[in-house]
Every structure is written in C-alpha cells, then in structure tokens.
C-alpha cells in the first residue's frame, strides 16, 4: 500500500521540475566529450590527428546504444539508470579534471571519456524511457520543446560559456596568446581542470536532485535475456527488408559526410595559430561565437526549416534542405583561404554555417521518421537509422585529423567541398516510399 502511495506521489511531480534538468544532463556529457574536449586537447599540445581520431572513436556508444537499450527494461527502473549514469559521469569527469597534470594525461582522460560516453548513451536511453513512461501523450507533446531547448542550453553552457571561461581562467593563470604550447601548458592545464571540475559538479548535483525529483512508476520487465536478444535480431533483420533500404542507408551516410570531416577540424582551425594556417582566435572569442551566435543561428534555422517543410512537404524541399546544409561549408573554405582578422566577418561565417546546419539537419531527421522508420518496429528502426547516421559522421571524423595534418587547413576545406557532391547527387535522385503530399 505504501509503495503504491509513493508511486502515486512521484507521478504527480510537475514535469517542469525534472524535464529541463534531465535533458540538460543528457546534453552536457555529449557536448563536453564531442566538442569541448577538442579545445582542451588542442591547448595541451595534442595533434589534430590524435584529437580527431580519438574524440570521434569514443562517440561509438551513442551510435550503438540501440543494441543494449532493450536489455535495460529487464533490470531495475529507468530512474535507477538515470541516477547511476548521472552520478557516474560526474565522478568520471572529476577523474578527467585531475588527470590533466599527469604525463600520460591524454591516455587517462580519453579512456575515461570513453566510459563516460557509454554512461551518457545509457542515460539517453533511460531518460527518454522515463519521459515516455511518466508523461501522457498530451504532456509529452507539451514538453517536447522543453526537451530540445534544454539540450541546446547544455550546448550553450558547455561550448559557449565554459569554453570562454577556460580562456579567462588561462589568462588568469598566466597564459599568453601566441606563446608556445610548453609555455602555456601549466596555465591551460589549471584552467581546463577547473572547467571539467565544474562539469563534474554539475552532473553530480543534478543526479542528487533527481533522487527526489525524478518520478518513477515503472517495474522491470519479466522478459528473459534470450527473448530480448531474439526480438532485437528480428527487428534488425526486418529493417533490411524495407523498400529502397540500401539506397536509404547510403543517403543517411552521405548526407552528413562533409559534416563528419569538418566537425572536429573546424574548432581546431579556429584555435590554431595563423602561422599554422588557422585563425588564432582566443577561447573567449570562440566561446562567444560558437556558444551564443552559433547556437542561436542553429535554433533559428531548425525552426524556419520546420515551417518550410510543413508548408511544402518533404519531397519538394529535401534537395533544398541538403543544399542549405552543405553549401555553408564554403564559409570555412573562405576563412582558410583569406584568413581574415575581422572578428565580425569570422562570426558571420560561423553563424551562417550553424544556421545551415540547423536548417538542413531537419531534412535528414524527417526523412528517417517518415520514409525509413514507418512499419512494425517504428521506434526501433528510427533508433537504428539514427545509429547509422551517427556512424556516418564518426568514421570520417576519425580520419579528418589525418587529412587535415596532411593537406593543411586550406586544402582540407577545399577537399570538404568536394565531399559534399555525393550528398547532392543521392538526394536529388532519392525515391520516396511513402506518400508525402499530406506531411
């Protein structure tokens, strides 16, 4: 009786008390590992090749999370996994922070981040599970915007505020822009230790907060491991029976191919010295441009794309979305060739790229929802398609540092423009399985 009463009380917790913090905690580890760590390793003297390869490879759990998501239903509750992963990620970010003064800091921090990535991917699964289990259809629709908003707030805080703060702290500790890496290493190590300590504290505090505020009325499934395994194999096998599926897989991969190459190198290019072909921006400048103007442009692009597609339909707009997604990469080619010193011009190019990314990404997301996912296992097939999409970004990201070091930034960004051509071709000729006239 008491147990039912507790469940009922938890069910009545206002979603506004936990949806924002849950999805902020979902976004923070992903952004910290995928983007913020790139700046940290650059400041500590790690080569572009190593940075791009390892920070791409450790994102693998977000690609493969669909493989273990069904098994979480069998053990404890989704709330349990949310709490454990938030607290674990917090502790491990603390390990990353304290590793920065060791001689083998890169090996220690990157291996620790790999564990955080697995924890973060598991958190994503459990957090979405809590959202779907605890909210009715009306509330799910009501708070869907809050989800995306606070995920992007995490991006704004991490890739904007914390990166800028790292720059201010490094200056406080004596770092000089233009000085050698060895001369600045102590200052940057201290600055980034504090930043990752802050991330650790945020994750732990959110985990503690969710002990009381996150609702939980689910009970573990009684399905056996073998039954779950058989169902998973069946779901994956059914995915490959879909009409045009091989074409669609190629489309998912090629649509973001150029982005996969540019994702890790763009921030390294902004940070690199002008003598090395970069723009030599400070962390404070990058944090402002990426975190504030970039994030705002991304959100605006996403909103406008949603309106555009809802008015004309996906089939009529997909190629335009692909063009707007890929053409802004010209901005980085321009920056690499000209190497302007005007921060406003640089900021305009970065903002344009973020706007195009937000606008064009809607096309790929909707295509997976409307043309690939529909059928018997809609949610699972969407997750599987998303995994393929992430893999398509991760693989070129792993080799992007090698090509960047080999070609130099200027020639690398020209090469990226060539890598957009397959996306244009496959999008132009792509067949639609389902009628798009009313979507």
């Amino acid at each position: 009786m008491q147990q039912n009463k507790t469940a009922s009380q938890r069910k009545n917790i206002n979603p506004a008390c936990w949806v924002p913090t849950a999805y902020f905690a979902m976004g923070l580890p992903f952004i910290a590992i995928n983007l913020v760590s790139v700046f940290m390793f650059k400041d500590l003297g790690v080569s572009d090749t190593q940075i791009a390869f390892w920070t791409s490879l450790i994102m693998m759990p977000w690609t493969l999370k669909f493989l273990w998501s069904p098994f979480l239903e069998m053990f404890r509750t989704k709330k349990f996994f949310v709490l454990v992963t938030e607290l674990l990620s917090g502790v491990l970010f603390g390990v990353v922070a304290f590793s920065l003064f060791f001689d083998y800091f890169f090996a220690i921090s990157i291996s620790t981040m790999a564990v955080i990535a697995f924890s973060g991917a598991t958190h994503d699964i459990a957090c979405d599970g809590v959202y779907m289990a605890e909210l009715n259809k009306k509330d799910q629709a009501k708070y869907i915007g809050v989800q995306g908003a606070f995920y992007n707030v995490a991006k704004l805080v991490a890739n904007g505020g914390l990166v800028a703060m790292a720059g201010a702290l490094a200056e406080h500790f004596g770092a000089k822009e233009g000085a050698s890496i060895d001369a600045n290493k102590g200052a940057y190590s201290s600055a980034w230790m504090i930043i990752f300590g802050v991330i650790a504290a945020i994750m732990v505090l959110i985990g503690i907060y969710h002990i009381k505020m996150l609702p939980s009325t689910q009970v573990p499934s009684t399905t056996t491991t073998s039954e779950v395994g058989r169902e998973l194999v069946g779901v994956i096998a059914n995915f490959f029976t879909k009409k045009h599926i091989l074409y669609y897989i190629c489309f998912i991969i090629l649509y973001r191919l150029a982005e996969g190459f540019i994702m890790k190198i763009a921030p390294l290019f902004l940070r690199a010295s002008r003598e090395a072909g970069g723009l030599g921006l400070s962390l404070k400048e990058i944090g402002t441009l990426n975190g504030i103007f970039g994030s705002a442009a991304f959100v605006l692009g996403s909103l406008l794309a949603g309106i555009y597609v809802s008015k004309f339909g996906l089939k009529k707009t997909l190629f335009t979305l692909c063009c707007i997604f890929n053409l802004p990469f010209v901005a980085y080619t321009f920056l690499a060739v000209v190497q302007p010193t005007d921060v406003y011009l640089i900021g305009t190019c970065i903002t344009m790229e973020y706007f195009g990314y937000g606008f064009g990404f809607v096309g790929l997301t909707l295509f997976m929802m409307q043309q690939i996912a529909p059928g018997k296992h809609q949610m699972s097939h969407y997750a599987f398609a998303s995994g393929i999409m992430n893999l398509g970004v991760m693989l070129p990201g792993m080799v992007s540092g090698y090509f960047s070091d080999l070609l130099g930034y200027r020639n690398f960004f020209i090469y990226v423009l060539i890598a957009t051509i397959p996306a244009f071709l496959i999008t132009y000729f792509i067949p639609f399985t389902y009628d798009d006239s009313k979507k």
Side-chain angles (χ1 to χ4, degrees):
M1 182 73 177
Q2 182 64 35
Q3 186 178 5
N4 292 334
K5 181 179 178 181
T6 302
S8 177
Q9 288 173 341
R10 288 176 176 169
K11 189 75 172 180
N12 292 329
I13 295 173
N14 191 325
C17 295
W18 60 270
V19 172
T21 51
Y23 282 88
F24 181 90
M26 179 187 288
L28 186 58
F30 183 85
I31 301 302
I33 294 174
N34 193 35
L35 298 175
V36 178
S37 68
V38 171
F39 294 113
M40 178 183 74
F41 291 134
K42 182 71 172 179
D43 288 337
L44 297 180
V46 181
S47 71
D48 287 8
T49 299
Q50 283 190 300
I51 293 172
F53 179 83
W54 289 108
T55 59
S56 295
L57 181 61
I58 61 175
M59 306 308 289
M60 181 71 80
W62 276 285
T63 298
L64 300 179
K65 64 183 179 181
F66 69 90
L67 292 176
W68 66 86
S69 62
F71 297 94
L72 297 187
E73 303 279 354
M74 302 169 55
F75 306 103
R76 307 296 292 263
T77 63
K78 296 180 179 69
K79 176 179 178 177
F80 171 81
F81 287 106
V82 170
L83 297 180
V84 168
T85 52
E86 286 173 353
L87 295 172
L88 177 61
S89 293
V91 171
L92 292 176
F93 273 121
V95 173
V96 172
F98 286 108
S99 74
L100 299 183
F101 285 96
F102 289 92
D103 290 338
Y104 299 101
F105 75 91
F106 184 69
I108 298 170
S109 58
I110 207 74
S111 57
T112 305
M113 287 180 185
V115 181
I116 296 173
F118 180 79
S119 174
T122 303
H123 177 276
D124 289 7
I125 299 165
C127 189
D128 285 337
V130 171
Y131 185 87
M132 290 185 286
E134 300 299 331
L135 300 183
N136 57 37
K137 297 292 184 182
K138 180 180 178 181
D139 283 341
Q140 286 181 24
K142 180 180 178 181
Y143 286 95
I144 190 69
V146 177
Q147 266 193 32
F150 275 84
Y151 189 95
N152 279 292
V153 167
K155 185 174 184 178
L156 176 63
V157 169
N159 203 36
L162 292 181
V163 169
M165 187 187 298
L169 286 169
E171 289 180 6
H172 173 74
F173 289 121
K176 304 290 185 183
E177 288 293 333
S180 68
I181 291 173
D182 289 337
N184 284 336
K185 191 169 184 179
Y188 279 120
S189 295
S190 298
W192 284 112
M193 182 187 72
I194 293 174
I195 295 303
F196 274 83
V198 169
I199 295 173
I202 291 173
M203 292 301 298
V204 170
L205 289 173
I206 291 177
I208 294 172
Y209 173 78
H210 283 161
I211 292 174
K212 181 174 178 61
M213 298 308 298
L214 196 69
S216 179
T217 57
Q218 314 106 22
V219 294
S221 170
T222 56
T223 309
T224 65
T225 303
S226 59
E227 290 173 334
V228 172
R230 284 196 298 271
E231 183 175 354
L232 178 61
V233 171
V235 168
I236 295 174
N238 181 258
F239 180 85
F240 289 99
T241 65
K242 290 177 176 285
K243 189 176 180 181
H244 306 307
I245 192 58
L246 293 180
Y247 196 112
Y248 288 171
I249 290 173
C250 292
F251 167 74
I252 293 172
I253 292 172
L254 293 177
Y255 193 93
R256 296 183 68 187
L257 179 66
E259 182 206 349
F261 281 112
I262 210 171
M263 180 180 288
K264 302 292 182 180
I265 303 305
L268 296 173
F269 162 69
L270 297 177
R271 191 77 181 103
S273 68
R274 291 184 171 273
E275 292 76 14
L279 295 184
L281 297 182
S282 69
L283 288 174
K284 289 192 289 186
E285 290 171 328
I286 294 172
T288 302
L289 294 176
N290 278 347
I292 298 177
F293 296 103
S295 296
F298 175 84
V299 172
L300 178 62
S302 300
L303 293 174
L304 292 179
I307 296 171
Y308 176 59
V309 175
S310 65
K311 184 174 182 179
F312 297 103
L314 183 61
K315 189 170 185 177
K316 292 181 179 179
T317 60
L318 185 60
F319 184 72
T320 302
L321 292 166
C322 177
C323 291
I324 295 175
F325 182 80
N326 284 283
L327 286 178
F329 296 140
V330 172
Y332 279 104
T333 307
F334 168 78
L335 292 175
V337 171
V338 178
Q339 288 187 283
T341 56
D342 187 342
V343 176
Y344 294 102
L345 177 58
I346 295 171
T348 299
C349 291
I350 293 174
T351 301
M352 182 178 74
E353 192 272 329
Y354 268 92
F355 177 85
Y357 177 66
F359 197 96
F361 190 72
V362 168
L364 181 57
T365 302
L366 286 176
F367 190 88
M368 291 191 299
M369 286 182 178
Q370 297 178 1
Q371 300 298 317
I372 298 177
K376 182 179 178 182
H377 306 287
Q378 184 165 351
M379 289 183 63
S380 297
H381 285 170
Y382 179 76
F384 191 38
S386 298
I388 295 172
M389 176 188 69
N390 290 332
L391 187 66
V393 175
M394 187 193 79
L395 293 177
M398 289 171 62
V399 299
S400 61
Y402 170 78
F403 284 113
S404 174
D405 285 343
L406 178 68
L407 300 173
Y409 290 121
R410 180 180 179 276
N411 291 333
F412 173 80
F413 286 118
I414 294 173
Y415 162 77
V416 167
L417 292 184
I418 297 172
T420 65
I421 295 174
F424 295 134
L425 292 175
I426 199 166
T427 303
Y428 187 81
F429 293 105
I430 195 165
F432 274 56
T433 300
Y434 299 98
D435 181 21
D436 180 60
S437 59
K438 295 183 180 181
K439 293 177 182 177

